[in-house]
Amino acid sequence: MKNYLVVGHSSGIGKALSAKLAESHYVTGTYYKNEVASFQNVSSHYLNVLDEQPDFSFLPDKLDGLAYCPGAIQLKPFARFKEDDFIADFKLQVTGAIKVIQHCLPALKKAENSSIVLFSTVAARLGFNFHSLVSTSKGAIEGLTKALAAELAPTVRVNCIAPSITNTPLAYSLLNTQEKIEANAQRHPLKKIGTPADIATMAAYLLSEESQWITGQIFSVDGGMSSIK
Ligand SMILES: NC(=O)c1ccc[n+]([C@@H]2O[C@H](COP(=O)([O-])OP(=O)(O)OC[C@H]3O[C@@H](n4cnc5c(N)ncnc54)[C@H](OP(=O)(O)O)[C@@H]3O)[C@@H](O)[C@H]2O)c1
C-alpha cells in the first residue's frame, strides 16, 4: 500500500480522490473549513495553506504522491478586480501549492516513482469572459508543472489536470439550478458537466505507477471543450 497526501479532501474532487485512493492505499487528507473525521485508510487533519507557517507535523516520512486541490472560481469583469484580489487568489492557488510541495519534497524523494498532481482549468488556455483572475493563477500552475517536472525528473513526476466546470461546492453558484446545469452541459461537445469522479479518476491514474512514463503534462478533462468546436 502506498502513502498519498490529498490537500483538500473535504470537498469536491479531493473528496472523490481520497475515497478512490483509500480503496487500496493509505491517504493523509486535509480539510480547512469543513472538518472531516478519519476513516478507513484515511487520516484527516486540519490545514490552512494560507497560514504563514502551516503545521505539517501530521505528514508521513515517505510519500508516494500528493494532489493539491484548493482552488477558487471568482468571475468578474477584469476592471472590477483589484490588485489584492489577484494576490489573494495567487496565494491560495499557487503559493499554497508551492509551500506544500516544498515541505513534502524530502518525503516524495524517499519513494520510488512518486508523483505530484496539480489542478488548472480549461480557462487557462482558452479565453473566457470574466475569467482573468482564475486564468492568471492557473496559468502559473501550468508553468510550475512544466518547470518542476524538469527539475524533479527522474525522481518525482509532476502533472496537471485542467478541468472544465465540474459539479462540486466550488462551482455551486454556477450550477445551483437545473437551468444552469443544463446550459453549462450544452456548452460542452459531450453535453455534460464534469463529475468529481471524472476528474478524480484521472488524478488517481496520474498518482499511480500506471502513469510512470508521464511527466510535465497538462491533461484536459473537459467534455471536449478545449479541443472540439
Ligand atoms: N469545480 C470546478 O468546476 C473546477 C473547474 C476547473 C478547475 N477546478 C480546480 O480543481 C481543484 C479542485 O476543485 P473543487 O471543485 O474540488 O474545489 P472544492 O470543492 O472547493 O474543494 C477545495 C478543497 O480545498 C480545501 N481548501 C480550501 N481553502 C483551503 C485553504 N486555505 N487551506 C487548505 N485547504 C483549503 C477545501 O477545504 P474545506 O472544504 O474543508 O474548507 C476543500 O477540501 C481546484 O484547484 C479548482 O480550481 C475546479
Side-chain angles (χ1 to χ4, degrees), residues 5-163:
L5 168 65
V6 179
V7 178
H9 84 138
S10 44
S11 177
I13 294 164
K15 187 174 181 177
L17 176 60
S18 106
K20 194 172 182 60
L21 292 171
E23 288 167 11
S24 30
H25 302 288
Y26 295 118
V27 177
T28 302
T30 76
Y31 61 85
Y32 172 38
K33 290 188 177 156
N34 296 297
E35 183 169 354
V36 174
S38 298
F39 54 100
Q40 201 178 10
N41 292 343
V42 179
S43 68
S44 186
H45 307 267
Y46 171 85
L47 175 68
N48 178 5
V49 297
L50 300 177
D51 285 348
E52 212 154 292
Q53 290 192 311
D55 177 9
F56 287 116
S57 57
F58 55 82
L59 284 176
D61 287 347
K62 184 173 149 192
L63 273 176
D64 295 282
L66 75 82
Y68 183 84
C69 303
I73 316 176
Q74 284 189 66
L75 307 182
K76 269 199 275 192
F78 176 64
R80 286 184 27 211
F81 283 122
K82 305 271 184 277
E83 184 181 340
D84 282 351
D85 294 325
F86 283 89
I87 292 168
D89 200 74
F90 199 85
K91 280 187 174 165
L92 178 70
Q93 308 222 47
V94 186
T95 319
I98 289 168
K99 251 185 236 176
V100 169
I101 294 169
Q102 285 192 328
H103 189 87
C104 291
L105 266 184
L108 288 164
K109 286 181 176 171
K110 281 185 192 158
E112 254 176 58
N113 188 34
S114 54
S115 167
I116 296 172
V117 173
L118 300 172
F119 290 94
S120 179
T121 166
V122 64
R125 286 180 291 168
L126 192 63
F128 293 101
N129 282 339
F130 310 141
H131 281 65
S132 59
L133 189 65
V134 62
S135 299
T136 299
S137 296
K138 295 303 198 184
I141 283 291
E142 294 198 7
L144 180 68
T145 301
K146 300 271 176 188
L148 275 188
E151 195 167 327
L152 301 181
T155 317
V156 183
R157 300 181 297 107
V158 187
N159 292 290
C160 177
I161 299 172

